[in-house]
Amino acid sequence: MGISKWIGGFLGFMTGGPLGALWGFVMGWLYEKGMEQRQLGGDSDSGTYRNDNYETYESTYGQQHGYEGVDMGNRNSFLFSILVLASYIIRADGKVMHSEMEHVRNFLRINFGQDAQQQGETILRRLFDRQKQMDAERSGSYENIVMQSCRQIATNLAYEQRLQLLAFMAGIIRADGIVDNREVEALRKVARAMRVNDKDVDSMLNLHDSSTNLESAYKVLGISPNASDEEVKKAYRRMALKHHPDKVSTLGEDVRKAAEKKFQEINAAKDLIYKSRGL
């Protein structure tokens, strides 16, 4: 099955720049594998990529998923950005944990389907290869291209869409039940390069415990336990507006659904604080 079944067609802002360079590496490898399979009599579509006409691709996607109005260029760039950032965060502690890879697989399968899981994992492993190659030639080279990619993302994606990328990366860090400081620092570097503030990083890192841990709940809303009731309400309204799933709806209904879980966790943090205060 060709990679264009998940990421393909109009490439949006990742057509050029550092993201485009990484995409070119991945697609070059897939093309070579596709040629090998054709020579061996395998699936003629495996590993291939079609640079479809934008209008045709957008129309096909809308028909398949039952809605229109998706910005396919930004959607495809967003999907590839997930994998680029994941390749950096996962290896920030010097190793690839099974729990982290399983988190990525589950995220892709639940939100985008089985094909996306298989194709996404293939892309991610090629990015790991690229990281090894680049860092073998010059230490820190891969981190440098990831930071450039983050600046490219910041220029082209809305703040709320960048927050969705950040939430996914925070989930990877927590996947093995241990929050490694090296991974947290890598996340903060990514956030700064994407022009996301530190409070939002802390908020995303505390989402997992926000329904049961009051301290985490306050961090999710970005306020102190000493805040007044009115300040709590204002903080929640601010977060609800910033993280509402509709803010990412132009990236596709599947991306919007992924954002709903984050929104539910923010509501759980609010509920815990309200309950503790009798509001």
Side-chain angles (χ1 to χ4, degrees):
M1 177 175 291
I3 204 67
S4 59
K5 300 296 183 182
W6 184 47
I7 302 177
F10 189 67
L11 296 180
F13 66 83
M14 75 173 181
T15 301
L19 280 174
L22 290 173
W23 177 254
F25 169 81
V26 170
M27 295 316 299
W29 182 88
L30 289 171
Y31 177 76
E32 290 177 3
K33 294 299 289 184
M35 289 294 290
E36 289 176 9
Q37 290 203 10
R38 282 194 292 277
Q39 291 168 2
L40 294 172
D43 180 1
S44 63
D45 187 39
S46 180
T48 62
Y49 170 72
R50 299 187 313 274
N51 189 19
D52 299 325
N53 176 269
Y54 173 73
E55 289 80 5
T56 301
Y57 185 79
E58 182 177 48
S59 176
T60 301
Y61 184 87
Q63 291 171 4
Q64 290 176 345
H65 295 265
Y67 65 96
E68 304 291 341
V70 176
D71 183 338
M72 294 308 299
N74 275 1
R75 172 187 166 78
N76 292 330
S77 297
F78 177 88
L79 296 177
F80 186 59
S81 296
I82 288 176
L83 300 172
V84 169
L85 299 183
S87 71
Y88 174 64
I89 297 294
I90 288 173
R91 289 185 58 86
D93 59 357
K95 55 186 180 292
V96 177
M97 299 291 291
H98 171 77
S99 55
E100 294 170 333
M101 289 299 295
E102 192 62 21
H103 179 84
V104 174
R105 293 186 194 103
N106 288 337
F107 175 85
L108 293 174
R109 184 180 66 256
I110 291 169
N111 293 291
F112 304 106
Q114 189 66 37
D115 291 341
Q117 176 195 325
Q118 297 169 353
Q119 296 163 11
E121 184 174 358
T122 297
I123 294 173
L124 184 56
R125 292 192 181 281
R126 299 292 70 75
L127 289 169
F128 287 149
D129 290 343
R130 186 55 173 160
Q131 184 174 14
K132 291 177 184 177
Q133 291 173 8
M134 292 182 69
D135 287 346
E137 295 171 1
R138 187 176 65 194
S139 179
S141 296
Y142 192 75
E143 179 180 81
N144 184 51
I145 198 170
V146 169
M147 292 303 113
Q148 291 177 30
S149 297
C150 288
R151 289 188 280 274
Q152 187 178 7
I153 291 167
T155 301
N156 291 279
L157 289 183
Y159 192 83
E160 295 82 5
Q161 295 169 342
R162 284 175 265 155
L163 286 177
Q164 188 60 26
L165 288 174
L166 188 71
F168 176 57
M169 298 309 127
I172 291 176
I173 289 175
R174 301 194 63 96
D176 58 2
I178 301 172
V179 178
D180 190 292
N181 288 334
R182 289 168 294 182
E183 292 177 337
V184 172
E185 180 54 32
L187 182 66
R188 293 193 186 281
K189 286 181 180 178
V190 163
R192 286 193 290 269
M194 289 198 303
R195 299 201 292 271
V196 174
N197 66 58
D198 285 341
K199 273 193 174 183
D200 281 324
V201 176
D202 292 334
S203 178
M204 296 301 97
L205 285 171
N206 283 276
L207 271 180
H208 181 74
D209 300 323
S210 61
S211 64
T212 57
N213 185 295
L214 194 57
E215 182 181 356
S216 293
Y218 278 110
K219 288 181 179 178
V220 166
L221 295 192
I223 54 175
S224 163
N226 298 322
S228 68
D229 289 349
E230 186 57 32
E231 287 172 330
V232 169
K233 292 176 182 178
K234 285 182 179 179
Y236 169 69
R237 288 195 294 268
R238 212 164 36 240
M239 290 293 287
L241 181 63
K242 187 162 53 175
H243 292 275
H244 196 281
D246 286 348
K247 295 288 187 177
V248 298
S249 62
T250 58
L251 298 176
E253 185 62 18
D254 39 18
V255 177
R256 186 190 183 283
K257 286 181 178 178
E260 286 179 355
K261 182 177 184 295
K262 176 186 64 174
F263 195 65
Q264 290 167 358
E265 289 171 326
I266 291 170
N267 279 325
K270 179 264 294 182
D271 290 343
L272 184 64
I273 293 172
Y274 275 32
K275 183 178 180 180
S276 72
R277 291 172 174 246
L279 296 175

